C-alpha cells in the first residue's frame, strides 16, 4: 500500500473558516466560533485543562475515497460528520481544552473478501498514523477489528499494535448478532490478551433490523438502541467470564456502560437464569473491572459510582457524532457540576485515569 500524505481531508463545502460545521448522526448544524480566533470567555476555563478524549470518531478521507471508488459505500448515506477534516478536529480540541484524542476509526462497509477488508484497515491505519505524526502529541489511535473475520483481525493486531504503535483496538458490541464474550472470538481475545491490550468497544444497530432503518420510527437508533447494544455485550462478557479468561485485557464500555449500571442489581438477583448462570459476585467483580467513558453526555453519575470505582471512568466526547455545542454546553457543565464527583475524581476522569490505563499516551 502507498504511504498517504499527512494533509487533512476536504473541508465541507460552503463552511466559512470562522465556523465549524458539526453534526450529530444524520443531521447537520452550524456551531459558531468567535471570529477573532478565540473561544468565548465561558470556554476559556475548559481550554486551560489538558483533557484526554478517549472517544473521538475518525473517518479517514483516504478510506472514504477508496470505498466510494469501489462502490462499497454510498456517499449520501454516510453521516455528514464523516467529511470533517483534521483541521476541524484540532479546532474543536483547542476549544474544548483537549490535549490528546484517541481516534476511534470508522470504516463502515460490506467487504467482499478478507483481502479487501485488510486493504480497508491498512488505508485507515496509515491515515491515522500520518495524522498522529503531523500533529505530535494531539492524536493516538485504535486498531479497527472485525471479529467476524479472524484472519483479517489477527493481521490487524500484528500490524497496528505490533508495528504502528496503536494504543488499543476498537471492536463493535456484536457482529451479525454474535456478541462480545462469545467463544467464537476466543482466538482473537487470546492474541489480544498476550498484548495486554486495551479493548475499546462501541455499539451499533441491534441485530435483526433493516440496515439503516430506525427500530422505532422517528427515534434514532443511537438514542436508545446503542445503549442496549453495549449492555447486551457487557452482560454477555460477564456471563462468559471474559475478564477472568483473559485477565490481561482492559475493556472500555462507551456511554457510561449503556444501561449496565442501572440493571446491575437486577443482574445480580436474576443472573441465575442466564445460561450459564451468573454468580452475583461475578457481576460485582466485572462491573469494577470494566472501564466506562463519559461520551453521551452521560446521566448523573451516582448510579454508576455505586458499582464502579471513579478511577475507571474516562473522559470521552463522541465528537463529531456528538456536535461541539452538545459537548461544550451540555456535557461539560453536567460533568463538572455532578455532585457525585470530587474535584480530584474529575481530574482523574479528564486526564489521569487515561494515563494510568495507557501510559503510552504521555509520549504520543
Amino acid at each position: 500500500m502507498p504511504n498517504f500524505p499527512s494533509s487533512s481531508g476536504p473541508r465541507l463545502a460552503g463552511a466559512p473558516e470562522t465556523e465549524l460545521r458539526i453534526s450529530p448522526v444524520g443531521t447537520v448544524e452550524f456551531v459558531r466560533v468567535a471570529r477573532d480566533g478565540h473561544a468565548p470567555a465561558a470556554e476559556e476555563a475548559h481550554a486551560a485543562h489538558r483533557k484526554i478524549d478517549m472517544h473521538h470518531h475518525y473517518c479517514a478521507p483516504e478510506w472514504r475515497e477508496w470505498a466510494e471508488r469501489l462502490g462499497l459505500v454510498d456517499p449520501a448515506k454516510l453521516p455528514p460528520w464523516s467529511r470533517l477534516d483534521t483541521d476541524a478536529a484540532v479546532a474543536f480540541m483547542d476549544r474544548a481544552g483537549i490535549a490528546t484524542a484517541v481516534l476511534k476509526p470508522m470504516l463502515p462497509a460490506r467487504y467482499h473478501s478478507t483481502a479487501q477488508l485488510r486493504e480497508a484497515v491498512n488505508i485507515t491505519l496509515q491515515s491515522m498514523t500520518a495524522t498522529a505524526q503531523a500533529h505530535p502529541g494531539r492524536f493516538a489511535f485504535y486498531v479497527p477489528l472485525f471479529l467476524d473475520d479472524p484472519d483479517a483481525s489477527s493481521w490487524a493486531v500484528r500490524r497496528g499494535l505490533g508495528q504502528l504503535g496503536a494504543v488499543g483496538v476498537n471492536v463493535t458490541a456484536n457482529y451479525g448478532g454474535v456478541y462480545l464474550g462469545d467463544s467464537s472470538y476466543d482466538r482473537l481475545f487470546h492474541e489480544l490478551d498476550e498484548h495486554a491490550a486495551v479493548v475499546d468497544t462501541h455499539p451499533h444497530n441491534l441485530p435483526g433490523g433493516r440496515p439503516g432503518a430506525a427500530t422505532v420510527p422517528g427515534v434514532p437508533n443511537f438514542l436508545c438502541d446503542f445503549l442496549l447494544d453495549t449492555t447486551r455485550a457487557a452482560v454477555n462478557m460477564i456471563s462468559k467470564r471474559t475478564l477472568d479468561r483473559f485477565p490481561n485485557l482492559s475493556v472500555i464500555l462507551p456511554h457510561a456502560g449503556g444501561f449496565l449500571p442501572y440493571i446491575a442489581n437486577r443482574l445480580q438477583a436474576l443472573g441465575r437464569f442466564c445460561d450459564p448462570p451468573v454468580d452475583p459476585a461475578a457481576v460485582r467483580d466485572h462491573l469494577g473491572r470494566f472501564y466506562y467513558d463519559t461520551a453521551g453526555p452521560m446521566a448523573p453519575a451516582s448510579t454508576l459510582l455505586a458499582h464502579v470505582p471513579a478511577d475507571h471512568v474516562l473522559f470521552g466526547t463522541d465528537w463529531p457524532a456528538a456536535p461541539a455545542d452538545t459537548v461544550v454546553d451540555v456535557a461539560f457543565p453536567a460533568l463538572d457540576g455532578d455532585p457525585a464527583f470530587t474535584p480530584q475524581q474529575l481530574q482523574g476522569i479528564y486526564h489521569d485515569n487515561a494515563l494510568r490505563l495507557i501510559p503510552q499516551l504521555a509520549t504520543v
Side-chain angles (χ1 to χ4, degrees):
M1 295 296 301
N3 291 319
F4 294 105
S6 59
S7 60
S8 57
R11 290 184 175 275
L12 284 177
E17 291 185 1
T18 53
E19 294 180 335
L20 291 180
R21 196 171 190 177
I22 312 298
S23 57
V25 178
T27 67
V28 178
E29 59 181 299
F30 286 95
V31 177
R32 187 169 301 281
V33 177
R35 294 188 180 276
D36 61 1
H38 296 290
E43 297 168 5
E44 289 179 357
H46 269 286
H49 291 290
R50 296 192 56 79
K51 305 180 186 71
I52 298 176
D53 184 359
M54 299 289 288
H55 191 137
H56 186 111
H57 290 284
Y58 180 79
C59 183
E62 299 90 349
W63 170 84
R64 192 176 58 245
E65 293 166 5
W66 172 83
E68 291 176 6
R69 187 171 65 251
L70 295 184
L72 296 174
V73 296
D74 179 352
K77 293 184 179 179
L78 289 175
W81 57 259
S82 69
R83 299 194 298 277
L84 287 169
D85 62 14
T86 306
D87 290 343
V90 172
F92 162 72
M93 291 164 63
D94 289 345
R95 176 186 177 191
I98 295 168
T100 303
V102 182
L103 302 178
K104 292 169 71 93
M106 167 191 169
L107 50 165
R110 293 183 179 274
Y111 299 101
H112 302 307
S113 66
T114 294
Q116 190 177 65
L117 174 56
R118 281 180 53 165
E119 186 172 7
V121 171
N122 200 42
I123 290 170
T124 299
L125 286 173
Q126 290 196 56
S127 178
M128 292 189 294
T129 301
T131 296
Q133 291 174 346
H135 301 274
R138 303 309 303 269
F139 296 103
F141 59 92
Y142 293 128
V143 181
L145 300 186
F146 291 72
L147 298 185
D148 51 351
D149 191 325
D151 291 334
S153 292
S154 182
W155 169 84
V157 169
R158 296 192 301 273
R159 175 73 170 138
L161 291 182
Q163 298 174 6
L164 297 180
V167 299
V169 301
N170 178 249
V171 298
T172 55
N174 84 87
Y175 297 83
V178 181
Y179 276 87
L180 298 176
D182 191 86
S183 61
S184 62
Y185 303 141
D186 282 1
R187 168 187 158 187
L188 263 300
F189 272 63
H190 276 296
E191 192 169 349
L192 293 170
D193 195 63
E194 291 175 355
H195 283 272
V198 170
V199 179
D200 179 75
T201 69
H202 200 276
H204 200 247
N205 298 326
L206 297 176
R210 189 161 51 88
T215 304
V216 180
V219 179
N221 288 345
F222 66 79
L223 195 61
C224 300
D225 291 15
F226 278 25
L227 303 181
L228 178 56
D229 202 38
T230 291
T231 306
R232 287 178 171 182
V235 170
N236 201 48
M237 285 188 281
I238 295 170
S239 174
K240 303 302 190 293
R241 306 294 287 262
T242 297
L243 298 184
D244 291 337
R245 294 187 298 117
F246 305 104
N248 297 314
L249 296 183
S250 299
V251 176
I252 303 174
L253 302 177
H255 312 121
F259 302 131
L260 182 64
Y262 302 95
I263 67 165
N265 291 339
R266 181 180 179 89
L267 182 58
Q268 290 181 65
L270 302 176
R272 65 183 185 274
F273 295 106
C274 293
D275 183 18
V278 177
D279 186 333
V283 177
R284 293 190 293 271
D285 177 65
H286 275 62
L287 278 164
R289 290 163 67 186
F290 287 132
Y291 287 81
Y292 307 78
D293 77 35
T294 66
M298 71 177 199
S302 56
T303 301
L304 178 66
L305 293 186
H307 305 285
V308 174
D311 62 3
H312 277 225
V313 182
L314 307 166
F315 172 64
T317 64
D318 220 339
W319 190 88
D325 60 346
T326 297
V327 175
V328 174
D329 298 337
V330 180
F332 281 168
L335 191 57
D336 290 341
D338 196 316
F341 292 128
T342 68
Q344 293 76 20
Q345 288 171 337
L346 281 174
Q347 171 65 24
I349 291 166
Y350 278 131
H351 184 270
D352 298 350
N353 297 346
L355 280 185
R356 279 193 293 269
L357 176 62
I358 308 176
Q360 185 180 348
L361 290 173
T363 58
V364 294

